[in-house]
Amino acid sequence: MTDSSEAPRRAPGTGLLRRVRTTSLRIRLIVVFALVALAAAVSVSGISYWLNRDAVLKRTQDAALSDFRSALDRTITDLPLQPDCDELHQAATLMADTGLQYDVLLEQGGCSTGSARGISASMVPPTLAAAVTKPCSSCAGPPDQYHLFWQRITLDGTPYLVGGTEVQPGGPTAYMFKSLADERSDLDSLAWSLSIATALALIGSALLAQLAAATVLRPVARLGEAARQLGAGRLDTRLEISGAAELADLSQTFNQTAEALQAQVEELSAREHASRRFVADMSHELRTPLTAMTAVTDILEDEADTLDPMIAPAVRLVVNETRRLTDLVENLMEVTRFDAGTAKVVLDDVDVSDLITSCIDTRAWLDAVELDAPRGIVARVDPRRVDVVLANLIGNALKHGGSPVRVQVRVEGAELVVRVSDGGPGIPEDVLPHVFDRFFKADAARRRSEGSGLGLSIASENARIHGGTITAANSPEGGACFTLRLPMTSAVEPGHPLAADGGPRPTGPAGTDRPKGTSA
């Protein structure tokens, strides 16, 4: 049974890393600078355009209307009271004959004529025509004086300024048509120039933002690189104190933190080294007397049946406790080798089914274990260390789980997967994270049991130096399930410090010859 936590999953932090790249401080600085510059440039360009537009149109408008009024004053006095169409046409032509290039339309007595062909009364906006023929009560001056009205319109895509007035009393109605095409062209050129200026301002702001971001982020990048080196174990990493006061203070704080961390790590490392050395020395010192004690206890065990019934139980107790102490010392020696990094693996191509069968048969577990291991699955492993792992897992299932105990072997991709499950009550959820801890025993009543509490820890380390893992979980059907995953081909290449030469393999620790000491 496979724990759901073993399912393939996406590498953690991938989505977070993508978001960080797209919303980095550098990009945000550039975007902010660009937005501010764009808003400022658009505002200035818009205001400049409208101010220039109003100025240009007002100047053209005032000049054209003033000239139109002057031409009307000069021409109307020369017209008869009831001019015919030819006289109106001549007057319109004369009025339009100025340097401002506008056309004139004159209307009187049903006659409407313009200074140029195509100029007609239909071109006059109705609102302007109505305003011209109506007395202007709000205009300055006497009511009988003609008043000049104007309106901007678009005719056939061309902008025009149309001015109109009615000569009082009884005079003609005059309209002026001034083309604003030149002014529109000038304003279009101005708008194009302002657009180019806005684009240049945007590019310039992006370059300035890049420069500012580089100035600000360069120390931050150095700090990040130093932090990564510190996290990788280079505790002597320090930053050069330079730059602005805030950045210099940050660098100094980092250096002080790194120094304090280095001092603490060195102190802890020294203590840990002394502790490991003490355990190793103690274990070595205990091996010699234990060897002698083991020889004596073997003789006592052989003679136990002939001893006084009152003495025999004490002899058997001494024998068992001596063996337990021997196993504990051997386990401590193995743990010391793991901690010191001196544990070696002796690799060989092994049929996994034969290896598991031998492990079970050696410990007389054949009747208690259901084995599902197809033959022909060959993996390159250290048989002795894998035997230690299997002995611990199966021994735990038999001792602390419940029947039936099943061992299943499968190949998943490039991995060898061995699952050991039992029919017991399972492992409490609060205990699962600690089952591979050293000297951990889930049941307080088993503190004095024959197990040392190092078996699963040693099994986990043996899996690790193979490049594999062991996980513990509870099966949905009930009971605990331990899953051993090992690469089919060794993760330890020849020449690696963990790889040992071939040859006779020493008798291993962790109870490889009996299931003692395999408790969790």
Side-chain angles (χ1 to χ4, degrees), residues 10-82:
R10 188 175 60 183
T14 303
L16 178 61
L17 184 59
R18 188 178 298 111
R19 289 196 300 273
V20 168
R21 287 175 177 171
T22 56
T23 59
S24 65
L25 183 57
R26 182 185 300 273
I27 294 177
R28 282 185 287 175
L29 281 174
I30 294 175
V31 170
V32 169
F33 268 75
L35 289 178
V36 171
L38 181 62
V42 169
S43 300
V44 172
S45 298
I47 294 174
S48 300
Y49 177 81
W50 286 109
L51 289 177
N52 281 275
R53 177 179 179 275
D54 289 344
V56 168
L57 293 179
K58 190 175 186 306
R59 183 176 62 249
T60 301
Q61 172 184 302
D62 291 346
L65 292 177
S66 177
D67 187 81
F68 177 61
R69 182 187 292 275
S70 299
L72 187 61
D73 288 339
R74 293 191 305 268
T75 304
I76 291 302
T77 57
D78 297 334
L79 282 176
L81 293 177
Q82 297 296 328

Side-chain angles (χ1 to χ4, degrees), residues 122-135:
S122 62
M123 300 171 60
V124 179
T127 54
L128 180 62
V132 167
T133 58
K134 194 182 303 180

Side-chain angles (χ1 to χ4, degrees), residues 74-363:
R74 293 191 305 268
T75 304
I76 291 302
T77 57
D78 297 334
L79 282 176
L81 293 177
Q82 297 296 328
D84 56 22
C85 289
D86 290 338
E87 292 173 331
L88 288 176
H89 178 70
Q90 291 177 1
T93 303
L94 182 62
M95 291 175 62
D97 189 15
T98 65
L100 296 182
Q101 298 180 353
Y102 56 78
D103 296 316
V104 177
L105 174 68
L106 294 178
E107 293 181 333
Q108 186 177 5
C111 182
S112 177
T113 181
S115 60
R117 182 176 298 177
I119 301 298
S120 63
S122 62
M123 300 171 60
V124 179
T127 54
L128 180 62
V132 167
T133 58
K134 194 182 303 180
C136 182
S137 58
S138 61
C139 298
D144 59 345
Q145 182 180 359
Y146 59 86
H147 299 283
L148 189 58
F149 299 89
W150 61 270
Q151 183 177 350
R152 296 192 193 113
I153 63 172
T154 300
L155 297 174
D156 297 329
T158 303
Y160 279 90
L161 171 67
V162 182
T165 185
E166 186 176 16
V167 179
Q168 299 291 337
T173 301
Y175 294 99
M176 175 205 68
F177 295 87
K178 167 62 177 171
S179 173
L180 300 177
D182 293 340
E183 286 71 15
R184 183 176 67 178
S185 178
D186 293 341
L187 292 175
D188 288 344
S189 299
L190 176 62
W192 178 249
S193 300
L194 292 175
S195 299
I196 294 176
T198 301
L200 292 177
L202 186 61
I203 295 174
S205 67
L207 294 177
L208 288 176
Q210 175 68 17
L211 179 61
T215 303
V216 174
L217 295 180
R218 191 176 296 112
V220 177
R222 288 199 297 265
L223 177 61
E225 178 62 25
R228 282 189 290 272
Q229 293 180 3
L230 196 65
R234 296 181 57 183
L235 300 180
D236 58 343
T237 302
R238 299 294 184 270
L239 287 175
E240 180 182 355
I241 300 177
S242 61
E246 294 81 0
L247 297 176
D249 182 64
L250 180 61
S251 300
Q252 185 175 4
T253 302
F254 176 86
N255 290 341
Q256 292 173 351
T257 303
E259 290 174 0
L261 179 62
Q262 183 179 16
Q264 292 180 3
V265 170
E266 289 177 351
E267 181 181 359
L268 292 175
S269 298
R271 292 181 180 179
E272 184 180 6
H273 178 73
S275 176
R276 290 177 178 175
R277 184 61 182 268
F278 171 75
V279 173
D281 292 345
M282 180 187 67
S283 301
H284 278 289
E285 292 298 328
L286 287 176
R287 294 188 74 177
T288 301
L290 278 175
T291 302
M293 292 174 61
T294 301
V296 173
T297 54
D298 288 341
I299 296 174
L300 290 175
E301 186 179 23
D302 293 338
E303 300 295 333
D305 294 335
T306 62
L307 297 176
D308 189 294
M310 298 296 293
I311 301 176
V315 170
R316 292 190 178 90
L317 178 61
V318 170
V319 171
N320 292 333
E321 291 300 318
T322 301
R323 287 176 175 171
R324 181 170 176 270
L325 182 58
T326 302
D327 290 338
L328 177 59
V329 170
E330 293 292 343
N331 287 341
L332 288 175
M333 292 291 294
E334 186 74 353
V335 169
T336 302
R337 282 190 284 270
F338 284 129
D339 290 341
T342 58
K344 304 294 184 180
V345 290
V346 182
L347 300 174
D348 195 4
D349 293 328
V350 179
D351 188 302
V352 179
S353 177
D354 292 343
L355 179 61
I356 299 177
T357 302
S358 174
C359 173
I360 297 173
D361 186 34
T362 301
R363 294 161 179 82

Side-chain angles (χ1 to χ4, degrees), residues 392 396 399-400 441 446 449 451-456 517-520:
N392 276 285
N396 268 338
K399 190 180 301 181
H400 309 298
K441 297 181 181 180
R446 296 196 292 114
S449 65
S452 65
L454 290 172
L456 286 179
T518 58
S519 61

